[in-house]
Amino acid sequence: DTGVSQDPRHKITKRGQNVTFRCDPISEHNRLYWYRQTLGQGPEFLTYFQNEAQLEKSRLLSDRFSAERPKGSFSTLEIQRTEQGDSAMYLCASSRITLVATGELFFGEGSRLTVL
Amino acid sequence: DQQVKQNSPSLSVQEGRISILNCDYTNSMFDYFLWYKKYPAEGPTFLISISSIKDKNEDGRFTVFLNKSAKHLSLHIVPSQPGDSAVYFCAATGGGSNYKLTFGKGTLLTVNP
């Protein structure tokens, strides 16, 4: 399977704990995006990378959130000191730069976070 | 503020009939519009798109119509099939931010056999 892969698929944690999600994009895609989706809402943009450079972060991304994409391959999204409001589906997507203007992104299956 | 609005949370149609999903937007800078389909426990998958320079794009059973003056687009599925049952998200991009999509809240389509 050469699609976008996310791990873990589901994470349950206690408030105050740190969690980390991993995303492996489609190999030839140089752009990688993180979105968050809460119940009853559409996905909301969090941040994106072009190769290893993080080019933009949404205001939704508080200081407790950090994302990295070392070597321009896989990416990690870490949430420190989790809060119940962080409970959501975290979606990773990738694209080739030639497709960016069309907005067509390839999404992974998501990592669902539940903060107790 | 919701820049992309899908005002119908759900829609139910009979197999073989037409499904029409609607979407409105407020940002005049959007120049590309997309529809994504999402099954439970899966990520959204791209369905069809349309550039703001066009008013219609067709791909098999799926057609997207764009009315720029009304800031409105719609997705038509003809004929509808039970496998089309999913959540459909309208999304938009543009205005120098072509790298990120703004999504609506989605419409749950149920196609009854």
Side-chain angles (χ1 to χ4, degrees):
Chain A
D1 181 29
T2 57
V4 177
S5 176
Q6 292 189 244
D7 183 71
R9 295 289 309 279
H10 195 179
K11 178 71 175 179
I12 301 172
T13 191
K14 292 182 178 179
R15 187 178 56 185
Q17 298 295 305
N18 299 344
V19 297
T20 299
F21 301 114
R22 175 182 171 122
C23 171
D24 288 273
I26 294 171
S27 58
E28 63 267 28
H29 286 184
N30 51 8
R31 287 205 170 179
L32 186 147
Y33 308 78
W34 286 98
Y35 283 78
R36 180 173 67 189
Q37 184 179 14
T38 53
L39 197 62
Q41 303 294 318
E44 296 175 296
F45 170 80
L46 292 179
T47 188
Y48 92 102
F49 294 83
Q50 182 166 314
N51 299 314
E52 66 276 7
Q54 186 175 18
L55 297 187
E56 184 172 333
K57 294 168 59 174
S58 165
R59 286 171 292 177
L60 293 175
L61 218 60
S62 76
D63 291 344
R64 297 183 297 104
F65 288 70
S66 63
E68 294 182 342
R69 192 185 182 195
K71 303 178 183 178
S73 56
F74 72 91
S75 175
T76 58
L77 177 68
E78 181 183 17
I79 309 173
Q80 297 182 325
R81 305 181 304 281
T82 53
E83 302 173 355
Q84 289 184 326
D86 298 331
S87 296
M89 176 73 82
Y90 291 85
L91 293 162
C92 177
S94 68
S95 72
R96 284 178 298 189
I97 194 167
T98 55
L99 288 176
V100 167
T102 66
E104 182 176 345
L105 305 182
F106 295 82
F107 283 87
E109 294 179 322
S111 292
R112 179 169 296 283
L113 173 64
T114 302
V115 181
L116 302 176
Chain B
D1 64 328
Q2 274 252 293
Q3 297 186 65
V4 177
K5 301 178 183 179
Q6 293 178 258
N7 293 320
S8 297
S10 63
L11 174 67
S12 182
V13 300
Q14 287 299 121
E15 181 178 5
R17 304 294 293 270
I18 184 171
S19 295
I20 300 176
L21 295 96
N22 294 303
C23 177
D24 297 293
Y25 63 96
T26 58
N27 189 338
S28 300
M29 299 299 289
F30 288 145
D31 59 8
Y32 212 86
F33 304 89
L34 307 92
W35 286 92
Y36 278 78
K37 179 169 71 174
K38 185 181 184 303
Y39 293 117
E42 295 185 10
T45 56
F46 170 76
L47 189 59
I48 191 169
S49 62
I50 187 167
S51 165
S52 60
I53 63 173
K54 296 185 177 180
D55 55 17
K56 177 183 175 181
N57 187 27
E58 190 172 354
D59 183 1
R61 297 186 296 115
F62 303 91
T63 303
V64 56
F65 296 91
L66 175 62
N67 183 334
K68 283 185 64 179
S69 61
K71 293 189 175 67
H72 176 83
L73 63 154
S74 61
L75 174 68
H76 292 210
I77 306 173
V78 182
S80 301
Q81 299 174 355
D84 296 329
S85 297
V87 176
Y88 288 78
F89 290 102
C90 174
T93 186
S97 299
N98 287 345
Y99 50 83
K100 66 182 183 184
L101 301 178
T102 301
F103 285 85
K105 291 185 178 183
T107 296
L108 173 62
L109 173 66
T110 302
V111 180
N112 300 303

